Amino acid sequence: MAKPPKFTDELLDELDEFLMSNDAPDDCMQISDLDGFLTGIVVGPELIMPSEWVPIIWQGDEPNFEDEEQAEHIVGIIVARYNEIIHQLDEEPDAFAPIFLTAPGGVTIAADWAEGFMDAFGLRPDAWDPLLQDENEAYLMGPIMAFLHDKDGKPLVDGTTEEMATIMEESAGAIPHVIKEIYDFWKARRGIANDNSRAFGTKVGRNDPCPCGSGKKYKRCCGAN
């Protein structure tokens, strides 16, 4: 697999268009929840390899890629965003901006992003316990949890319509800041060998799972001659 490109607004639009197209699985992640998912993978307590998390993007189905070149290109864009998140949190934290949706009237919608983040959380829920049980740092999950619902569909945060609107606005604004703090919390506790601050995409072994998420070995999928 070629080195992923630098993530740009043009590539963001291209990825968004593909995820909404008929070539993507019907239930696959869309751009905002995908961004939350990638962020959760990056900032979480353990390194998770693309071979595990890429298939989750497609939600159990396979994209209808035109050919090997398109498969590598689309997955390369996803990996480019993953790598950009790492770079920004390490080198340019003020530049980190979650990809939120915007409703008519300019209202920010962060619920999809938060749900994507929690999909990443769900891959290693027990490993997150040290943060959740830290009396000084557990609050960092608050702005993300503000957008979630319980199993019965009831919001985890309650209030009047006006209060909820204020909470949602303030929580969305706080997410970039708490993400940096969560990232630093776990980075300080990880060893070098298990550091999430590792860019992916420069090389895929022929016997490795294909990064397109098909579940096949790379040599029998996108790497086939």
Side-chain angles (χ1 to χ4, degrees):
M1 183 177 179
K3 182 177 181 179
K6 176 179 173 63
F7 194 74
T8 63
D9 289 342
E10 290 76 19
L11 290 180
L12 169 62
D13 292 341
E14 183 179 351
L15 178 58
D16 188 24
E17 182 178 350
F18 179 81
L19 294 174
M20 293 190 296
S21 75
N22 291 332
D23 291 326
D26 290 340
D27 296 326
C28 76
M29 293 183 178
Q30 296 300 301
I31 198 67
S32 187
D33 46 325
L34 171 57
D35 192 65
F37 180 67
L38 294 177
T39 304
I41 296 293
V42 168
V43 307
E46 297 181 3
L47 174 66
I48 303 177
M49 300 299 291
S51 57
E52 179 177 352
W53 56 256
V54 170
I56 296 172
I57 296 171
W58 310 123
Q59 298 293 295
D61 207 342
E62 294 183 23
N64 183 28
F65 292 124
E66 294 177 359
D67 50 31
E68 174 187 336
E69 183 178 356
Q70 187 192 30
E72 289 200 3
H73 180 64
I74 293 299
V75 175
I77 297 175
I78 294 171
V79 173
R81 175 54 178 165
Y82 173 97
N83 290 341
E84 180 182 60
I85 294 169
I86 293 174
H87 172 77
Q88 289 179 339
L89 293 177
D90 274 332
E91 307 294 339
E92 304 176 86
D94 291 341
F96 172 69
I99 301 175
F100 295 148
L101 302 179
T102 303
V107 177
T108 297
I109 301 175
D112 289 350
W113 187 95
E115 289 176 4
F117 185 95
M118 294 308 295
D119 284 338
F121 177 98
L123 294 178
R124 300 289 190 275
D126 293 342
W128 283 81
D129 282 349
L131 175 62
L132 300 179
Q133 296 174 5
D134 189 310
E135 61 181 18
N136 295 319
E137 306 293 344
Y139 78 93
L140 293 172
M141 291 293 292
I144 300 168
M145 304 291 286
F147 294 96
L148 304 181
H149 297 73
D150 64 19
K151 62 181 180 180
D152 297 319
K154 182 179 179 181
L156 298 184
V157 177
D158 198 9
T160 66
T161 300
E162 293 77 11
E163 290 171 339
M164 290 299 293
T166 299
I167 291 171
M168 297 299 101
E169 180 180 2
E170 292 179 348
S171 295
I175 282 177
H177 307 288
V178 299
I179 286 299
K180 170 60 174 172
E181 295 298 321
I182 292 171
Y183 181 70
D184 289 344
F185 177 90
W186 290 118
K187 191 171 184 180
R189 287 159 175 75
R190 289 193 300 262
I192 297 299
N194 195 35
D195 192 357
N196 293 15
S197 305
R198 169 181 168 185
F200 289 114
T202 57
K203 180 70 174 177
V204 177
R206 289 184 57 76
N207 288 310
D208 291 341
C210 188
C212 78
S214 68
K216 302 175 183 177
K217 289 185 177 181
Y218 179 67
K219 67 182 180 182
R220 300 196 181 280
C221 191
C222 294
N225 296 325

